Amino acid sequence: MDTKKRSTLLTIGAILAGYTALRTVPSLLPERLELVPLDTPIGFRKYVAGETSGGFDPFVGLGNVDSAEATARKAAALKRVSEDICGALYGGLETTASKIPMASFSDYYCPFCRVQTKRLADMSQEMDDEVVVAWHELPLLGDSSNLAAKAALAAKRQGAYVAFHERLMKSPFQATPEYLRRLSDDLGVDGTKLVADMESAEIAQELENSAALARVFAFVGTPALVIGRTVVQGQISDKMIEQIVELEREEGWGVVCVSV
């Protein structure tokens, strides 16, 4: 290969590598904090970020029910979360005026979620006095996603949500009943109880509530975030999260939760 041709190929390779980096590393993306007020829910605003996976009906996790029952359950879930948006987003979190809540919506088989979820978990530990995260399962990418989400929520009933969540996010394997049983044994979780809880009405309702929130905020895929009262669609850099957290602290994120 002559020198000129080799130089041309190296140049093309460098351009492609740079383009790939810009698409896959959110910290390299040019970002400006421009927020658009939402008509509903009142008081919230939206920031559109980077890459997203999915785009299916967020109520995909309902399971095999007839259309009349599915419609009724969707309507009931939308009514529940609409009556208390902040409770549905952040219920159970210990927040203060200076400790900003974040609600993370993810799918175990969304590649962008795997990156962002790990970064959010690290940030919540490093900034323990400043942020706290509520994890919402939003399985949009098929049966394996739905099965993994149910298993993680069932593991939460045994105090093993974090361990299950981390392993599922890192695993190269698709969730199957056999894999989940092996994972349960490995983590010291009661597999029989896990399977029973996965099909419980409580877990079905938890998934329906998260799906309803996705409808309310018009999420088109995962990952998605709500930071205080700022809605974020897509992958977002740590720097931008920190900017939004600081803005929420300055403006008083809790005001919107009184007004909705």
Side-chain angles (χ1 to χ4, degrees), residues 67-169:
S67 59
E69 183 182 347
T71 299
R73 286 168 61 176
K74 290 178 184 180
L78 284 169
K79 183 175 185 295
R80 280 196 304 271
V81 304
S82 297
E83 289 174 346
D84 183 10
I85 292 290
C86 291
L89 282 171
Y90 307 128
L93 295 183
E94 295 182 5
T95 63
T96 64
S98 60
K99 191 168 187 176
I100 310 302
M102 296 192 286
S104 170
F105 294 78
S106 62
D107 184 304
Y108 287 105
Y109 300 104
C110 151
F112 311 111
C113 297
R114 293 190 170 207
V115 175
Q116 179 153 294
T117 297
K118 175 65 166 64
R119 290 168 45 239
L120 284 175
D122 291 344
M123 182 178 291
S124 66
Q125 290 183 341
E126 294 165 4
M127 303 171 62
D128 183 53
D129 294 332
E130 300 179 52
V131 297
V132 60
V133 183
W135 304 100
H136 289 268
E137 306 296 341
L138 190 60
L140 301 177
L141 300 177
D143 291 340
S144 290
S145 293
N146 190 44
L147 195 63
K150 287 182 175 181
L153 293 177
K156 183 165 69 173
R157 271 68 181 170
Q158 299 187 49
Y161 177 80
V162 173
F164 243 76
H165 185 82
E166 289 179 350
R167 288 286 293 273
L168 287 168
M169 276 293 179

Side-chain angles (χ1 to χ4, degrees), residues 37-255:
L38 296 179
D39 293 331
T40 181
I42 295 171
F44 286 83
R45 64 274 183 98
K46 187 169 187 176
Y47 169 75
V48 178
E51 303 284 10
T52 295
S53 292
F56 297 97
D57 184 348
F59 284 99
V60 68
L62 278 174
N64 296 319
V65 294
D66 63 70
S67 59
E69 183 182 347
T71 299
R73 286 168 61 176
K74 290 178 184 180
L78 284 169
K79 183 175 185 295
R80 280 196 304 271
V81 304
S82 297
E83 289 174 346
D84 183 10
I85 292 290
C86 291
L89 282 171
Y90 307 128
L93 295 183
E94 295 182 5
T95 63
T96 64
S98 60
K99 191 168 187 176
I100 310 302
M102 296 192 286
S104 170
F105 294 78
S106 62
D107 184 304
Y108 287 105
Y109 300 104
C110 151
F112 311 111
C113 297
R114 293 190 170 207
V115 175
Q116 179 153 294
T117 297
K118 175 65 166 64
R119 290 168 45 239
L120 284 175
D122 291 344
M123 182 178 291
S124 66
Q125 290 183 341
E126 294 165 4
M127 303 171 62
D128 183 53
D129 294 332
E130 300 179 52
V131 297
V132 60
V133 183
W135 304 100
H136 289 268
E137 306 296 341
L138 190 60
L140 301 177
L141 300 177
D143 291 340
S144 290
S145 293
N146 190 44
L147 195 63
K150 287 182 175 181
L153 293 177
K156 183 165 69 173
R157 271 68 181 170
Q158 299 187 49
Y161 177 80
V162 173
F164 243 76
H165 185 82
E166 289 179 350
R167 288 286 293 273
L168 287 168
M169 276 293 179
K170 292 177 182 177
S171 174
F173 304 109
Q174 292 284 305
T176 63
E178 294 74 19
Y179 172 73
L180 293 173
R181 288 191 188 93
R182 290 199 301 272
L183 183 55
S184 297
D185 291 341
D186 192 31
L187 296 176
V189 171
D190 184 333
T192 301
K193 177 173 169 51
L194 183 93
V195 171
D197 286 343
M198 284 173 65
E199 301 308 319
S200 68
E202 291 80 6
I203 283 179
Q205 185 171 112
E206 194 165 343
L207 287 170
E208 289 163 11
N209 287 349
S210 293
L213 285 168
R215 267 293 169 83
V216 167
F217 290 110
F219 292 146
V220 297
T222 54
L225 275 172
V226 184
I227 305 173
R229 63 190 185 96
T230 300
V231 181
V232 180
Q233 175 67 71
Q235 196 173 188
I236 184 173
S237 72
D238 290 354
K239 180 179 178 181
M240 187 55 66
I241 291 175
E242 289 167 7
Q243 277 189 247
I244 295 173
V245 165
E246 185 57 35
L247 183 65
E248 293 294 328
R249 185 177 292 111
E250 290 175 359
E251 296 183 349
W253 68 272
V255 174

